[in-house]
Amino acid sequence: MNIVVLVKQVPDTYSERTLRAADGILDRAATDPVLDEINERAVEAALQLTEAHGGEVTVVCMGPASAADSIRKALSMGADRAVHLSDDALAGSCAVQTARALAQVIGGLDHVDLVLAGNGASDGRVSAVPAMVADVLDLPALTHARQITVDGTTVTVRRETDRGAVGLTAELPALISVSEKINEPRYPSFKGIMAAKKKPVTQPSIAAAGIAAAEAGLASALTTVTSVVPRPPKSAGQKLTDDGDGGAQIAVYLAAQKLI
Amino acid sequence: MAEVLILVDHLDGQVKKSTYELLAAARPLGEPSAVVVAPPGTAGKLADALTQHGAEKIYLAETDRTDFLTPEVDVLAALVESASPAAVLIAVSADGQEIAGRLAVRTGSGLLSEVVEIGPESVTHSAFGGAYRVEAVANTPHPVITVRSGAAEIGSGRS
């Protein structure tokens, strides 16, 4: 079975993440970019499936040129090839534009049986792009999977969310997004890292991918950020002096705050 | 005044509290219309509670389809077409985010995700764990907005 894995480069959550005041876009230069951890789990799930059932793994990534490092990481884990959609015209795309662009790229690939993705990136918190891609491609969306079973052309997942667990079954082709409980991703081996340098990475322009320039990027985004305000620094608390009635003062303060 | 569609979140025949918050949060944008998608024979029972909490209109869609979350997307997409709402509000949850995203991409609507406040002109997000307050607008008709709990006080009808 041939699998496409969607990956995203995100700012490392350990680094200071800043938004540009002018347009509210993530300041990528000021952060440490990494392959989002949930994507490593999606790559791992894809590798386990192709190891059991045969087929190849293609990584698809939309992002700036620096995302090449994240793609190379996925290839060093064992993916076979990658498509890096990295046209400057895409910068500032909203969720709907992103889903449509990714769907366009996937739709242009031959014989895709399964699309795998993480269930949500650590930076944007939309957590809906995989299902949106599935909707555009008219694929069933099996999201938040912690377990995947493939039997012939039928795929079954165990979906776990804060609402509880449910079993979902669909016929291939389908899209699955994985939760962080799906597996522990492998570390790239030295051999894998060397092999990844020679694996093919295509970089189509938006025109080659079939995306209309008039629909791409910040200027035609369906949503616009109008202001970005950093959280004000915490102000000092109120000091109470204990003149023997400290307990009573605290009680009065808490009562005034409607805490007791 | 335009109507605002609110997807009713319900479990075991009870409307979830987040839905009541949405009925109140919708007011700056228009008149709240509740949209119930539920198995046959269960949707009608929710109507009284929704009216009491400010729903001006209720759409009941009863279906025994078992395709996961797709009936909700289909019903809302059809209503976006027929009712031209000012916005569609959905409570934040794993299912809510997914329904909202699919609805937005299918209807060509701006998606405003995990909003903490709804104003007449813009919505407010909280980014990177509260480090930023970000205001945003949709550039399309009928934006799809997912709303975090606590965005509005639960009301008891017309205010």
Side-chain angles (χ1 to χ4, degrees), chain A residues 17-19 96 100 125-126 128 131-132 135-136 143 159 161 163 221-231, chain B residues 9 16 68 94-95 97-98 101-102 105-106 108-112 114 128 130-139:
Chain A
R17 298 177 293 183
T18 53
L19 299 177
V96 169
R100 285 178 174 165
R125 306 299 299 164
V126 172
M132 294 163 77
D135 206 86
V136 176
T143 49
R159 180 187 199 264
T161 64
R163 197 48 92 71
L222 281 65
T223 55
T224 302
V225 169
T226 52
S227 92
V228 176
V229 182
R231 175 171 45 196
Chain B
D9 196 358
K16 297 200 80 172
F68 192 64
D95 296 0
Q97 293 294 101
E98 194 166 329
R102 290 176 61 186
V105 76
R106 203 183 282 187
S109 312
L111 176 63
L112 297 164
E114 298 220 14
F128 295 145
Y132 289 90
R133 276 176 72 83
V134 178
E135 285 185 17
V137 296
N139 307 317

Side-chain angles (χ1 to χ4, degrees), chain A residues 236-254:
Chain A
Q238 185 182 336
K239 274 186 187 163
L240 300 175
T241 312
D242 181 16
D243 298 321
D245 61 346
Q249 284 190 53
I250 290 172
V252 167
Y253 176 79
L254 291 176

